[in-house]
Amino acid sequence: MAVAGVSGDCRTALQICRRAVEIAQADIKENGFTENEKNTKRAKTGNNNNNRRRKRNNNKVNDAEDETQEIVTLHHLKKAKDSFDQSNDVQIVSTLSIYEKLFLTGIVMHNSRNNVFAGQSDIYRRKFDNFIDTRLGEQRMKSSHFRNLLDRLKEMGIITITFEKKEWIEYIKFNIPIEEAAHALKENDICANIISTLQTI
């Protein structure tokens, strides 16, 4: 409720909470505990001289708590809220159709695995067609409809399309940070299942 009050609507509040959980999990994966817990441990270390006897008696209890306290704190919520305030990209991606989301999911997959910011439209198209076949069980999109999809994404500023005359190749640049896009796309179960195969996001 507190997050909803600050963020303005329930959908955004849920997105912020999801992001906060991801931040907390990243802290635990990297450090073995959250950043907030790390600061708490440092404070405890500074008071070791005064509390040695008490700590000796409570070591087992504290160790058990440290192993189980994978807690989302206000620190994580604030960090998540700040990331949303910096950009409206997450909200924009959330409003897209399933076809647009699947296309962007293909971009996220390709760019993440190849550590690039742009790629050939044909490569993205093949990924998109594969998702249409395997994930939706539908016929592949006609070229004219696919071009309309690209034009919509371009008008929204999500992608930039350039054509290299010498190579006669069309390139698409993704204008949204991969992490933000992946987070927004994960709201859709189909996209979430695809992105979950990546280890870096």
Side-chain angles (χ1 to χ4, degrees), residues 75-104:
H75 164 78
H76 299 123
L77 287 170
K78 184 180 183 304
K79 202 169 181 181
K81 176 73 166 53
D82 289 344
S83 69
F84 273 74
D85 289 342
Q86 290 170 4
S87 173
N88 290 322
D89 292 336
V90 172
Q91 285 82 356
I92 293 173
V93 172
S94 298
T95 65
L96 299 178
S97 70
I98 180 59
Y99 301 103
E100 291 163 334
K101 287 180 178 179
L102 279 177
F103 179 71
L104 295 185

Side-chain angles (χ1 to χ4, degrees), residues 55-67:
K55 281 193 172 183
R56 286 173 184 172
N57 295 331
N58 295 322
N59 266 344
K60 292 183 180 180
V61 175
N62 289 337
D63 289 342
E65 288 178 352
D66 287 341
E67 290 176 1

Side-chain angles (χ1 to χ4, degrees), residues 39-195:
N39 293 334
T40 302
K41 287 188 178 187
R42 284 175 179 171
K44 287 181 179 180
T45 302
N47 293 325
N48 270 347
N49 293 334
N50 297 327
N51 298 310
R52 282 181 181 175
R53 291 182 181 177
R54 185 178 298 174
K55 281 193 172 183
R56 286 173 184 172
N57 295 331
N58 295 322
N59 266 344
K60 292 183 180 180
V61 175
N62 289 337
D63 289 342
E65 288 178 352
D66 287 341
E67 290 176 1
T68 57
Q69 282 186 345
E70 299 181 4
I71 298 172
V72 177
T73 66
L74 289 176
H75 164 78
H76 299 123
L77 287 170
K78 184 180 183 304
K79 202 169 181 181
K81 176 73 166 53
D82 289 344
S83 69
F84 273 74
D85 289 342
Q86 290 170 4
S87 173
N88 290 322
D89 292 336
V90 172
Q91 285 82 356
I92 293 173
V93 172
S94 298
T95 65
L96 299 178
S97 70
I98 180 59
Y99 301 103
E100 291 163 334
K101 287 180 178 179
L102 279 177
F103 179 71
L104 295 185
T105 299
I107 292 181
V108 168
M109 298 292 289
H110 176 81
N111 290 8
S112 296
R113 285 174 172 166
N114 295 279
N115 195 28
V116 296
F117 298 99
Q120 297 180 23
S121 61
D122 286 346
I123 294 176
Y124 296 140
R125 175 68 192 269
R126 286 195 292 271
K127 285 187 175 293
F128 176 64
D129 287 342
N130 179 57
F131 293 157
I132 294 291
D133 286 341
T134 60
R135 302 291 176 162
L136 297 184
E138 298 181 5
Q139 292 184 348
R140 298 182 179 184
M141 188 176 286
K142 294 181 179 179
S143 296
S144 58
H145 294 166
F146 179 71
R147 178 53 54 181
N148 290 335
L149 181 149
L150 293 183
D151 288 341
R152 286 196 301 273
L153 294 175
K154 180 181 177 181
E155 288 174 3
M156 287 184 281
I158 295 175
I159 62 174
T160 299
I161 302 174
T162 57
F163 189 79
E164 181 57 54
K165 292 182 179 179
K166 291 182 180 180
E167 300 175 349
W168 206 252
I169 297 174
E170 183 179 71
Y171 290 92
I172 295 176
K173 179 184 177 184
F174 198 26
N175 297 327
I176 299 177
I178 290 293
E179 231 179 84
E180 290 186 20
H183 176 71
L185 291 168
K186 285 178 184 177
E187 287 189 352
N188 179 276
D189 291 339
I190 296 174
C191 297
N193 288 334
I194 298 171
I195 295 173

